[in-house]
Amino acid sequence: MISKSDNPKVLYGVLLGLAILAPLAIYPVFLMKVLCFALFASAFNLLLGYVGLLSFGHAAFLATGGYITGHILTQWGLSTELGIIFGTLAATALGYIFGKLAIRRQGIYFAMITLALAQLVFFLFVQAPFTGGENGLQGIPRGNLFGLISLQDNLSMYYFVLAIFIFGFALIQRTIHSPFGQVLKAIRENEPRAISLGYDVDKYKLLAFTLSAGLAGLAGSTKSVVFQLASLTDAHWHMSGEVVLMTLLGGVGTLFGPVVGAATVVSLQNYLAQGPLGSWVTVILGLIFVICVLAFRSGIVGEIQKFMRKNFE
Amino acid sequence: GQYSDDEIRVAYLADMSGTYSALSGPGGLEAAKMAIEDIGGSINGKKITIVSADDQNKPDIGANKVRQWIDVDNIDMVAGMVASSVTIAVNKVVEQKNKISLVSGSAASSITNEYCTPNSIHWVYDTYALAHGTAKAVVQEGGKSWFMLTADYAFGHALERDVEKVVQENGGEIVDKVRHPFPTSDFSSFILQAQGSGAQVIGLANAGADTTNSLKTASEFGITQAGQKLAGLLIFLNDVHSLGLKVTQGLQLTTGFYWDRTEETRAWSQRYFERTGRMPTMVQAGVYSSLMHYFKAVQAADTDETQAVLQQMRDTPVNDFFAQNGKIRIDGRMVHDMYLAEVKKPADSTNEWDLYKVLRTIPGDEAYRPLSESQCKLVQK
Amino acid sequence: MSQDFVLETQGLTKEFKGFTAVDNVNLQVQRGHIHALIGPNGAGKTTCFNLLTKFLTPTRGTILFNGKDITDTAPNQIARLGMVRSFQISAVFPHLSVLENVRIALQRKLGTSFHFWKSERTLNDLNDRAMELLTSVGLESYANTVTVEMPYGRKRALELATTLALEPELMLLDEPTQGMGHEDVDRVVELIKQVAVGRTILMVEHNLHVVSHLSDRITVLARGAVLAEGDYETVSANPQVREAYMGTAAEEDAA
Amino acid sequence: MTELLGIPPQVLFGQMLIGLINGSFYALLSLGLAIIFGLLNIINFSHGAQYMLGAFAAWLGLQYFGVNYWVALVLAPVCVAAFGILLERTLLRRLYREDHLYGLLLTFGLALIIEGSFVHWFGVSGQPYAVPESLQGGQNLGFMFLPTYRGWIIVASLVVCFGTWYMIERTRLGAYLRAGTENPQLMQAFGINVPLLITLTYGYGVALAALAGVLAAPIYQVSPVMGSNLLITVFAVVVIGGMGSILGSILTGLLMGLIEGLTKVFYPEASSTVIFLVMIIILLVRPAGLFGKEA
Amino acid sequence: MTSANRADYEQLRLADLHAFYGESHILHGIDIKVNRGELVTLLGRNGSGRTTTLRAIMNMVGKRTGSVMINGRETLDVPAHQIARLGVGYCPEERGIFASLNVEENLMLPPTVRSGGMSLDEIYDMFPNLYERRTSQGTRLSGGEQQMLAMARILRTGANLLLLDEITEGLAPVIVQKLGEVLTQLKNKGLTIVLVEQNFRFAAPLADRHYLMEHGTIVEEIQAHELQDKMDILNTYLGV
Ligand SMILES: Nc1ncnc2c1ncn2[C@@H]1O[C@H](COP(=O)(O)OP(=O)(O)OP(=O)(O)O)[C@@H](O)[C@H]1O
Ligand SMILES: Nc1ncnc2c1ncn2[C@@H]1O[C@H](COP(=O)(O)OP(=O)(O)OP(=O)(O)O)[C@@H](O)[C@H]1O
Ligand SMILES: CC(C)C[C@H](N)C(=O)O
Ligand SMILES: [Mg+2]
Ligand SMILES: [Mg+2]
């Protein structure tokens, strides 16, 4: 582990290898779900971990991506890639609007405005004629990639999703380590100072917010294609809460934290629910979070990093 | 015969912990297990296994779960299925993967109408039957003007639509309606509106906690004393049990099953009671009945191959404690008799579960939407 | 124009719910000067400062920077015009390295600050200039230190270096020596003298020792209004100023 | 009969009165939240669960120990507060120095545990709780029939809310509370037992939630999920009122009840959304909420 | 008369006091003794641990070991909120004015710990600025006014051992002079004062003794009358 983390390239290589081989051992649809949520949480983390903005309305982007892609694929008969691109663009645009309204507020007020906006979006999705209300938007075709490769097969779908995830993840990684990322860091550290250095911090936050929303939308679009369904669950405030949990559980402000957090939560929900502990799932999830908050506050990845730093430096 | 994996694998999907869990949930799972035990744990030497999951009334969770069951666990069929929205989503997956779903919980009549599939059977009741039972009875007793209080989602919409039609056909009218968010905890302002409308009947097109809350609130605001009548369009045994007779007495309802009706129903229900400490709702009884019918079909066809079993199920009438001469139509509707019941007065009730008086049997053909009115793609016209 | 004023205020006034904190102040800061704003506690110095830097909106009055009305200009715009404030509480980016702190200030001019797809390595071109600035305040050996770990006085120096990176025409300093030990005070006085070359500085300061050593011109505020103005000798000789502010301390401190 | 906006005035006033009743619950709950947030800097996500516990305590008391409504009205909040105090002493206490995100997360986890356990034990279909004998029946107000019990809710919660407000804004104890919110360490240095103050405050906030729960028991079903449905709305109320503003949370609670009531007349589908719309508008116009002080 | 009123009564004694913030060890064995009616100063550079010493006395640090005797009583295990009750008044470096209280509420906030504190009128006499702004929100005061308020409010409580951290910071020279007079008065009334100061010129004429701190230890104790002789030591440590 140590030598690997010393050299991120090796680590990335190993992870990529694992990701390519994973579907041989694990149910691909489950893996795709993990990847979608990992991307969603990573997008959220870009905002919380690197700009210090807690959005409590990220479900709106996930859902917008999903619904728009679903609508396009079922009604307009466009190709899968285009459907996903349009879904992502729609979420990006929505992110821009949310950002415009919310960015001027801070802390809990920011969180509450995003929550409120997301509630309005939820209402819209309940009422709008094309979303199927409670039933959700069903029967979204997976279609063909570039008109060639059928995505009906879980394996080819998986590699497509993996490619999307890697794209999103790489974009986040690059954003953090870009000139723009530097300014974001400065803003998080000392906002008034950044202003006095002549930075229009609202614009930077807005761009970060829009990016994050767009990537969350990408996750939602992809997810709707995988599951052939877009539903209100994705738009509900519980989803906004869940992504906070995933991110914190994995480790805020760490690159891999959200991925690990998403994998953990999704696995728990998937595998615990069918065991004998079925009706205790909520209680167990609750317990895990309580324990995490009390004992592993920096999240799984955060704690591992701390441990490494302490013991190997 | 041919058996996938040399086992018969069934699944039970329901709301296990949410709003509808008391009427389906773990109790339904227990009923499913009873069915497996009663058939002997195996059929033609092939072991029966069961998996179950909580769909939390969310279409995505239900559909994903079933997809995984089919892809990974190779299940042959799924039973249970409660919230209509979940059912419609699951049925799509089941159709795509050519498996079987037996729907006992859901109400929406659209499941065998515009959303029908060749792989699903709707077992216990539907909104059409509810409308043609309760609503019709109420209109015929003179409740001509209606105010509809509807849960604002697929099931409520379906019920509202079916009831409106029945009311109008029987010479009544809908004076006003209001849709409430799902779920709602406070109904006072809706009740107030209903009161203000001056309608004779307030029709509750909702279910579970929403219905019980509406009823309580209505009693608090003295609706019945002021001369208006309530029609609970979908009421389950557990609702009446938890609300108490004092609040619910006199309420008319349509049900696909009541435990204290015949020797057979009593005998089966008694067994169920011994295992769970509660009397079964129609959904829980339906889970047993539908699975049993499935098992018998597997036995007879000596395979678990989907189309063969489905064919066998359709060809055999359903005859058990739950239904007499029930038949499975091409659109997936299992047609059987329904019952119009009335909630007893506290004085007339002899024990905790002595809750209904059955007023009338509604013959299956009258209770369910005739194929001639169907929009199901499987019905040739 | 006989005199060249960098900053001018006309009738600057700030009222808080019936209380006038700054009352019709006409301030003129001459180019190249170190101009000090002093006065008793509650006189309105900080408020005045906040008005100039747009952290508060004036109730009345105008602010002119290089003759241009900036009363309604946004704070980050003002910084771009060349008027930069430093903060009373040390204003650094604590978890960035010292070098990065300065680089942030340099980076904006590069015009790539919104480029989220570029590598941050592209910023290394700025390192030389950043080092120059650090050297000018004596921090070259700290370049790679994480800023939190530096002593207080050094943070002040870093803050100045960062501010200088913007090449401001006018620097506003709010109590630059507050909370410092004697050594640090002297170092900062030296530093300010250095950086003042070719610039204008407006500062609020209580330490008369600092004021007397640095300022070319002093404005004394009391109860929100200008009480006296002039160089240190003039001001400290003013009996009103002595009564309201200096007490008998003036002679000792100026020494 | 004259109509206002196409609605008979009876219906309109009736709905407003109903709104006021709901508002009373919002007020009680948001008051508790505001107090806890104020002093502990913790966004108490388990507030809904504690409200539910109050209702359940009353129900269990009646069911198993024959405790009547009036006794429950006092006893249930005390018991739930005791439970809250236990949580505060053992768990929350460790988080005061952390970002309030962690408090939110912990209490969220606790809410999951509490609600999940109750769902497991009692199922979700609500348990009935009868209106106490002495408060049955109602008054015909001319424009509507007001059940006596609902009237009682308004009176009881107004008394409790304004009593609490008075205590916090006008007494010395209140000054300690407010100051302790800002700088507990310094208050400690002045000789005030801040940990005790914090514990008691948390207990009081929880007791308010539980009291609301008991008041709610007879009109809503006593169900494990009754709190989580309400919580997010109550958060909105607190924010609209201005975080930490005591008076704000009370008045906004009542006001939002009214607005919700009116929405139910004109556009019922939106009634659970309207508060959020109001929140966005308010926060854009008055960033610190209706009664909040700008930073 | 009880022993507590005798002039050589030992009011505060720190012995081998160590203090920690989390894992950082800040004080490394401090020994200080202050008698009733004395005024001593703690001098030192920024970060030398003077504030921490006062906070350690108040039990406001993470962990402390050694001994802190107040009025002859060991207080190492006394909870923070009971220390003030022993007659200790603490004026923190960062002033600690409460935004949610107005000026007068701020003044009235600390509970009286002993009789004989100043009355509100006396305080307003001493700081007329405060009287003028008494209904303003505490943190709306100017920096200097806040400093006055922080000082004033502990004079009200009747505490007879005052721990004052940088009280002249940010005050106009006239006010500083006045504060000097106040401290002299208090001392004459028999109060014991521990003063942390940057402003040596202010502290020098008031103090009976000076403790010089460096890196969390006391490096030098200087009596008032030795001051002239030891100027060079001060110079090396403080750059005065
Ligand atoms: N936001 C505000 N609301 C009300 N009054 C205010 C506000 N800000 C400042 N004041 C008042 O305005 C007056 C001037 O305050 P200011 O902070 O400008 O003084 P100052 O000259 O900087 O004093 P000091 O030297 O003590 O820092 C003070 O009496 C203060 O109480
Ligand atoms: N809360 C804290 N956590 C960790 N370290 C701290 C904390 N407070 C102070 N320190 C450290 O303890 C040391 C002593 O600080 P202290 O505040 O006692 O110094 P001081 O002599 O009062 O200096 P100053 O002039 O800055 O007030 C410093 O190195 C400081 O960084
Ligand atoms: C069990 C039922 C209450 C389910 C509900 N009627 C639905 O179909 O959605
Ligand atoms: Mg000031
Ligand atoms: Mg200090």
Side-chain angles (χ1 to χ4, degrees), chain E residues 14-18 28-32 65-67:
Chain E
L14 311 181
D16 193 29
L17 179 65
H18 290 252
H28 302 264
I30 302 277
D31 298 286
I32 285 180
T65 64
S67 158

Side-chain angles (χ1 to χ4, degrees), chain A:
Chain A
M1 269 312 270
I2 304 120
S3 57
K4 275 181 227 154
S5 68
D6 280 344
N7 189 345
K9 280 204 181 115
V10 179
L11 177 66
Y12 285 143
V14 171
L15 287 176
L16 182 65
L18 283 177
I20 289 172
L21 296 177
L24 301 180
I26 305 171
Y27 179 43
V29 177
F30 168 75
L31 288 175
M32 290 187 262
K33 186 171 176 187
V34 170
L35 286 178
C36 290
F37 278 106
L39 180 57
F40 182 35
S42 298
F44 172 79
N45 184 45
L46 176 62
L47 209 54
L48 179 61
Y50 297 94
V51 196
L53 287 174
L54 171 64
S55 155
F56 209 77
H58 252 50
F61 310 125
L62 186 78
T64 301
Y67 274 118
I68 298 296
T69 300
H71 182 67
I72 287 175
L73 293 184
T74 43
Q75 302 300 314
W76 300 3
L78 289 186
S79 71
T80 310
E81 319 79 76
L82 280 178
I84 290 180
I85 288 172
F86 278 120
T88 308
L89 287 178
T92 312
L94 186 72
Y96 181 78
I97 298 170
F98 269 44
K100 269 274 174 201
L101 290 170
I103 227 80
R104 275 170 294 157
R105 303 282 168 262
Q106 261 134 43
I108 196 75
Y109 290 100
F110 176 82
M112 289 309 281
I113 292 201
T114 48
L115 167 68
L117 288 167
Q119 290 294 96
L120 298 190
V121 170
F122 181 82
F123 173 73
L124 225 75
F125 284 139
V126 173
Q127 299 294 324
F130 75 94
T131 57
E134 276 287 313
N135 300 355
L137 192 66
Q138 303 182 348
I140 300 171
R142 280 190 185 173
N144 299 323
L145 188 57
F146 312 123
L148 289 173
I149 311 156
S150 163
L151 294 173
Q152 201 53 52
D153 172 46
N154 277 339
L155 264 186
S156 40
M157 185 75 213
Y158 172 78
Y159 290 114
F160 179 46
V161 174
L162 183 63
I164 290 177
F165 171 79
I166 290 173
F167 165 77
F169 191 78
L171 186 66
I172 290 173
Q173 138 94 12
R174 172 38 64 88
T175 303
I176 292 165
H177 296 289
S178 69
F180 174 66
Q182 277 284 315
V183 180
L184 286 184
K185 223 185 272 175
I187 292 174
R188 188 184 46 167
E189 293 261 297
N190 192 341
E191 184 166 334
R193 183 52 168 161
I195 297 176
S196 77
L197 292 181
Y199 287 105
D200 187 348
V201 298
D202 285 354
K203 281 205 182 124
Y204 289 84
K205 288 184 184 173
L206 180 60
L207 176 57
F209 192 94
T210 311
L211 267 175
S212 169
L215 287 166
L218 177 62
S221 295
T222 313
K223 185 166 157 291
S224 74
V225 174
V226 173
F227 291 110
Q228 308 183 261
L229 180 82
S231 76
L232 288 176
T233 310
D234 295 348
H236 199 273
W237 67 266
H238 280 160
M239 183 59 79
S240 299
E242 215 157 83
V243 73
V244 182
L245 295 180
M246 289 174 181
T247 310
L248 286 171
L249 182 60
V252 187
T254 61
L255 206 52
F256 283 103
V259 179
V260 173
T264 313
V265 171
V266 173
S267 314
L268 279 175
Q269 285 169 344
N270 250 51
Y271 291 112
L272 215 57
Q274 55 198 15
L277 291 173
S279 68
W280 290 105
V281 174
T282 335
V283 178
I284 292 170
L285 266 176
L287 263 177
I288 289 177
F289 291 123
V290 168
I291 293 169
C292 243
V293 172
L294 290 176
F296 311 107
R297 205 156 297 147
S298 342
I300 299 169
V301 173
E303 291 291 337
I304 292 176
Q305 281 178 355
K306 252 203 225 159
F307 178 82
M308 304 270 246
R309 228 173 286 141
K310 214 171 174 178
N311 290 278
F312 302 101
E313 250 170 46

Side-chain angles (χ1 to χ4, degrees), chain C residues 19 40-42 178-184 206 208 223 242-249, chain E residues 45-46 95 129 132-133 142 144-145 148 169-175 177 198 200 238-239:
Chain C
F19 177 85
N41 299 109
Q178 189 184 33
M180 283 187 188
H182 292 269
E183 273 175 313
D184 283 334
H206 272 301
L208 284 185
R223 305 193 149 261
R242 298 180 72 119
E243 196 204 318
Y245 180 65
M246 293 191 182
T248 53
Chain E
R45 289 197 169 93
N46 291 119
R95 297 167 190 155
N129 280 39
E132 224 172 284
R133 318 278 303 138
S142 80
E145 290 165 338
M148 299 175 203
E169 194 58 60
L171 292 186
V174 264
I175 311 266
Q177 277 181 340
Q198 290 290 3
F200 180 68
L238 301 176

Side-chain angles (χ1 to χ4, degrees), chain C residues 154-217:
Chain C
R154 302 284 183 175
K155 284 184 195 156
R156 259 280 134 86
L158 171 60
E159 197 195 318
L160 278 175
T162 311
T163 308
L164 288 177
L166 301 178
E167 294 171 14
E169 260 185 273
L170 171 64
M171 275 168 84
L172 304 175
L173 307 178
D174 195 358
E175 304 203 28
T177 65
Q178 189 184 33
M180 283 187 188
H182 292 269
E183 273 175 313
D184 283 334
V185 169
D186 290 338
R187 182 177 306 119
V188 169
V189 168
E190 278 316 304
L191 215 57
I192 293 176
K193 262 194 195 146
Q194 257 177 50
V195 305
V197 180
R199 310 204 147 70
T200 314
I201 290 180
L202 174 66
M203 66 176 183
V204 172
E205 182 58 65
H206 272 301
N207 190 329
L208 284 185
H209 171 75
V210 177
V211 173
S212 60
H213 279 83
L214 281 176
S215 27
D216 300 305
R217 196 171 175 81

Side-chain angles (χ1 to χ4, degrees), chain B residues 47-69:
Chain B
K47 194 163 163 274
I48 306 172
T49 59
I50 182 164
V51 287
S52 69
D54 185 358
D55 63 30
Q56 296 167 41
N57 295 327
K58 291 178 187 152
D60 51 332
I61 295 189
N64 297 346
K65 191 74 236 177
V66 170
R67 182 191 294 275
Q68 183 174 352
W69 272 336

